Amino acid sequence: MTPPPARRRRPGTDGAAPARNLPRRGTVRRAQAITTYGVGSLVAVDQESFIVSGLDGADAHWSSDESPRIHERRLARLLGVQHFRLPPASEDTSKDGIRVRRFPLMHSCPECNDLRRHRDFNPPAGRSICGTCEADLVPSRFVIACEAGHLDDFPYWHWVHRSAGAGAGAGATSAGQCGGTLKMRTSGRSSSLRSILVSCTCGVPEVSMEGSFRKSALKDLGLRCRGTRPWLGTSAPAEACGMTPRTLQRGSSAVWQPVLKSALSIPPWSDGRADPLAEHWSRLRDLNSREEVAGALKFLFGEECPVPVDEVMALLDAEQEEDPSAEGEPTFDHKYRALRNKEYDRLCMGNEERERSRDEQFICETPLGDTSVLHPLGVTGPMLVKKLREVRALKAFTRLADPDATTEPHEVPLSGSDLQWLPAMEVRGEGVFLRLDEGRLGSWEKAASVAARVERMRTAHQRVMEQRAGDPSRVPPSPATPRMVLLHTLAHVLINEWSLEAGYPAAALRERLYAAEDMAGVLVYTATSDSAGSLGGLVAQGEPELLDRTIRSAVRRAEWCSSDPLCVETEASGTGGTNLAACHACVMLPETSCEHNNILLDRALLVGTPDDPQVGFFASSLGR
């Protein structure tokens, strides 16, 4: 994650400072730098713990050959950047890597039981051991965070002295104001927090960590968030924050959640010809005529412009077509929905042979077989996506709250200053796209029993989002609708079926839902760029005869669950009751395969229930 030690260099003749000597601390994959160990997250390396640094200055120290630029104009425009960059590799031969900083700062020694900041142990350079005992130091297991994204060490000193009336104000530190030294030991009686004991040599009574995870634990101490941002370094000033932080385990998933946005490369942006203009689109959009565009291109590139003027005008027209039609200033959600709408239209249309070029990254064709065999199932418009490219960008991150349940003010930026780029990865693969018949779907949606089931999930999901959000009044409405839950559950059972029939691991497949009043489609595609990415096996499953058998087999398999009758008859399941008939034994998938974190699922909407078979969209196809 950081470069290997470099040889010491003397200052050059121009007085330049010597190169920094940054030791290497473990490795992460490039994809993990987007999804798991992105900026602001905590990484455990052997006996040590680090936080991934912000992107300030990364554009300069990330090598261009190890961290190439990625272009996807539609996504870049949505996120307000010019381009993306692939995170650098963490291999032995890499020149640079992802920068990290030590966090948490509080450590304990298992020999002398001292609990203090890392530097106060006087460890030798480059090592994390107690300067007295020479034992490996143990990073604090506990940190505190708030929903504004701030992160800090657990206030052990305040916790120990809370009964001594020591005046634990917001400006106090965990180093101690009594002159004593904090100690931490484990009683060994159990593995609970009650067995973790903290004391101080000043003589206050020893206390356990029991109760430190209560939501009001730090509030009762009179503590407020200090607004610290350790991923930006010690030079970054603390922000004003009046929230009450919460105690978390260092490895908890609530400490860091990525805010990921993705887009498919579709024509006319999918052949790469527009990439040289990536940094100039904002200027070109402000021009009003072809003559002005031609003049600007000549000024920027001279006589050898990489893109003809006519193509630039066509690309500008394509951008305007994708502009959301909402009244007033469009929100981010409106822009993202417009991006999905354009993808849906292109997947429905496909692209003809004459539209392709050698560099085309999107090939979508109609199957050769007779698609009428799918009509009894209520399925229409299957398309074989023989070639696709998806770009996934890390926009920001959140703490404590699910990104789907937060509003933009709680999204923490990746740097202290504005950037014209974001870290991203690209995935190339294949997929199968299908739609549901609008006539049959519309009739099914109007059924009272269907609406009642989905309303229960929608209400539960809305309640969960409001509970997790700092400002419940700004929470967007839940996306749960009958067609969305149906398409979501159908995608899951198809992925499970293809993992059995086509030889793909379930984690190698991913869903992309298109559910709105004028959309009812689902794309299942390969979600990895390794050998399972584009071997043609998934596209072959999209031929009508095979697809008919697959859907029927998947739906019949969904009729039974090893947890039945509890699963199908449950009144609520999943987080906060956001699922109904869905569990890990039937329709749930690996989290990397699901767009909605395995919520808003109900296989009863596919096959019906014992009491009401007709609630299932495919019930008539199963002869029920």
Side-chain angles (χ1 to χ4, degrees):
M1 288 179 290
T2 50
R7 291 182 299 176
R8 185 180 300 277
R9 297 181 181 179
R10 295 180 180 178
T13 57
D14 58 352
R20 296 182 65 185
N21 187 6
L22 299 175
R24 179 186 296 276
R25 299 293 186 185
T27 61
V28 295
R29 297 192 301 272
R30 283 172 161 169
Q32 288 179 312
I34 302 295
T35 59
T36 310
Y37 300 125
V39 171
S41 65
L42 297 182
V43 185
V45 180
D46 298 329
Q47 302 294 328
E48 301 178 82
S49 175
F50 301 92
I51 189 169
V52 180
S53 300
L55 298 181
D56 295 292
D59 201 21
H61 67 72
W62 281 9
S63 166
S64 59
D65 56 342
E66 294 182 353
S67 178
R69 290 188 177 187
I70 297 175
H71 296 285
E72 171 47 52
R73 173 56 189 166
R74 298 170 63 247
L75 186 60
R77 181 188 173 202
L78 173 72
L79 300 179
V81 296
Q82 294 179 355
H83 61 272
F84 305 98
R85 293 195 67 176
L86 184 68
S90 297
E91 301 173 353
D92 293 337
T93 57
S94 63
K95 299 177 182 178
D96 206 332
I98 298 173
R99 304 291 174 91
V100 296
R101 293 180 168 88
R102 189 177 300 279
F103 189 85
L105 299 180
M106 294 297 292
H107 285 61
S108 61
C109 174
E111 296 292 335
C112 61
N113 293 332
D114 280 1
L115 174 65
R116 58 178 71 181
R117 291 180 179 271
H118 183 271
R119 67 189 179 196
D120 295 336
F121 283 98
N122 297 318
R127 301 186 64 185
S128 181
I129 63 174
C130 178
T132 303
C133 308
E134 296 188 354
D136 290 331
L137 296 177
V138 179
S140 170
R141 291 170 52 188
F142 312 110
V143 296
I144 60 174
C146 75
E147 290 189 359
H150 303 129
L151 191 67
D152 206 348
D153 283 278
F154 182 83
Y156 290 102
W157 189 88
H158 301 88
W159 185 254
V160 172
H161 294 81
R162 66 184 187 270
S163 60
T173 67
S174 57
Q177 298 174 337
C178 60
T181 300
L182 294 178
K183 299 281 187 177
M184 174 180 282
R185 68 181 183 90
T186 303
S187 66
R189 296 179 179 178
S190 67
S191 58
S192 65
L193 292 174
R194 182 179 297 180
S195 295
I196 302 176
L197 304 173
V198 184
S199 62
C200 182
T201 56
C202 71
V204 295
E206 187 177 54
V207 298
S208 74
M209 292 296 294
E210 186 177 22
S212 59
F213 280 76
R214 290 184 294 108
K215 287 187 177 182
S216 61
L218 300 181
K219 183 178 180 180
D220 294 342
L221 295 180
L223 292 176
R224 294 289 182 180
C225 177
R226 299 193 301 161
T228 55
R229 299 174 291 174
W231 63 94
L232 298 182
T234 55
S235 60
E239 294 182 321
C241 181
M243 292 188 176
T244 301
R246 285 179 52 190
T247 305
L248 298 170
Q249 289 199 51
R250 173 164 48 91
S252 170
S253 59
V255 172
W256 188 84
Q257 288 282 345
V259 180
L260 298 173
K261 300 298 176 183
S262 68
L264 300 180
S265 295
I266 60 173
W269 307 95
S270 53
D271 57 6
R273 288 176 55 83
D275 293 351
L277 302 177
E279 298 179 0
H280 309 294
W281 283 114
S282 58
R283 178 178 178 181
L284 294 174
R285 280 177 58 87
D286 294 334
L287 303 179
N288 299 319
S289 65
R290 186 182 186 280
E291 289 73 18
E292 292 181 355
V293 172
L297 293 176
K298 186 175 182 180
F299 174 77
L300 294 171
F301 299 99
E303 297 295 335
E304 297 183 0
C305 181
V307 185
V309 178
D310 291 337
E311 287 191 24
V312 175
M313 297 303 297
L315 292 171
L316 291 174
D317 291 340
E319 276 200 350
Q320 292 180 356
E321 291 179 3
E322 200 163 318
D323 287 338
S325 57
E327 297 181 0
E329 183 66 22
T331 64
F332 183 86
D333 290 338
H334 285 123
K335 295 178 181 178
Y336 197 50
R337 194 175 304 121
L339 182 145
R340 286 292 185 101
N341 291 345
K342 201 64 177 178
E343 290 179 2
Y344 181 77
D345 293 341
R346 177 53 70 170
L347 287 167
C348 293
M349 286 191 303
N351 59 339
E352 300 178 2
E353 182 76 25
R354 60 183 175 83
E355 296 181 11
R356 302 181 196 167
S357 66
R358 178 176 296 181
D359 298 324
E360 179 60 53
Q361 299 168 339
F362 180 84
I363 298 178
C364 181
E365 298 179 344
T366 304
L368 298 177
D370 183 10
T371 60
S372 62
V373 298
L374 298 171
H375 292 172
L377 292 173
V379 176
T380 184
M383 300 293 286
L384 308 181
V385 187
K386 295 185 176 180
K387 192 176 181 181
L388 64 80
R389 172 180 178 261
E390 181 194 21
V391 175
R392 301 176 194 161
L394 178 62
K395 178 192 175 190
F397 65 89
T398 65
R399 302 198 194 278
L400 296 178
D402 187 340
D404 292 337
T406 62
T407 53
E408 288 193 28
H410 286 165
E411 293 182 359
V412 186
L414 306 181
S415 63
S417 58
D418 292 335
L419 293 177
Q420 296 301 313
W421 62 279
L422 289 173
M425 60 177 289
E426 57 182 351
V427 174
R428 301 174 188 269
E430 58 184 358
V432 175
F433 174 74
L434 57 88
R435 290 176 288 158
L436 298 182
D437 180 75
E438 282 288 351
R440 179 170 168 180
L441 182 61
S443 301
W444 173 82
E445 287 178 312
K446 296 177 182 178
S449 55
V450 171
R453 289 187 69 89
V454 175
E455 180 60 23
R456 284 157 56 189
M457 284 187 286
R458 190 204 66 78
T459 302
H461 187 218
Q462 193 72 34
R463 181 175 61 252
V464 169
M465 291 196 298
E466 292 175 355
Q467 290 173 350
R468 291 178 175 178
D471 184 1
S473 64
R474 303 188 63 180
V475 174
S478 169
T481 61
R483 69 173 58 195
M484 182 269 168
V485 178
L486 173 64
L487 288 168
H488 191 198
T489 312
L490 176 61
H492 278 228
V493 299
L494 285 176
I495 289 175
N496 279 329
E497 189 69 20
W498 276 325
S499 69
L500 297 173
E501 297 296 331
Y504 286 91
L509 300 177
R510 185 174 173 86
E511 67 181 6
R512 196 168 180 86
L513 305 180
Y514 301 91
E517 292 182 0
D518 54 348
M519 296 191 300
V522 59
L523 172 67
V524 176
Y525 62 103
T526 50
T528 60
S529 54
D530 59 8
S531 58
S534 55
L535 298 178
L538 182 59
V539 166
Q541 299 296 317
E543 289 295 335
E545 294 79 8
L546 277 175
L547 186 58
D548 175 66
R549 292 201 297 268
T550 298
I551 295 176
R552 292 181 182 275
S553 176
V555 173
R556 287 192 179 277
R557 198 184 300 274
E559 285 186 286
W560 295 99
C561 171
S562 59
S563 297
D564 280 341
L566 295 177
C567 180
V568 73
E569 294 179 356
T570 184
E571 294 295 324
S573 67
T575 304
T578 51
N579 288 336
L580 286 182
C583 68
H584 287 284
C586 50
V587 300
M588 287 190 177
L589 293 175
E591 289 187 1
T592 55
S593 301
C594 180
E595 281 193 313
H596 295 280
N597 299 320
N598 275 325
I599 64 173
L600 304 180
L601 294 166
D602 182 14
R603 61 188 174 92
L605 297 185
L606 297 177
V607 299
T609 65
D611 297 332
D612 187 5
Q614 297 308 311
V615 75
F617 181 83
F618 296 99
S620 59
S621 305
L622 298 174
R624 298 181 66 178

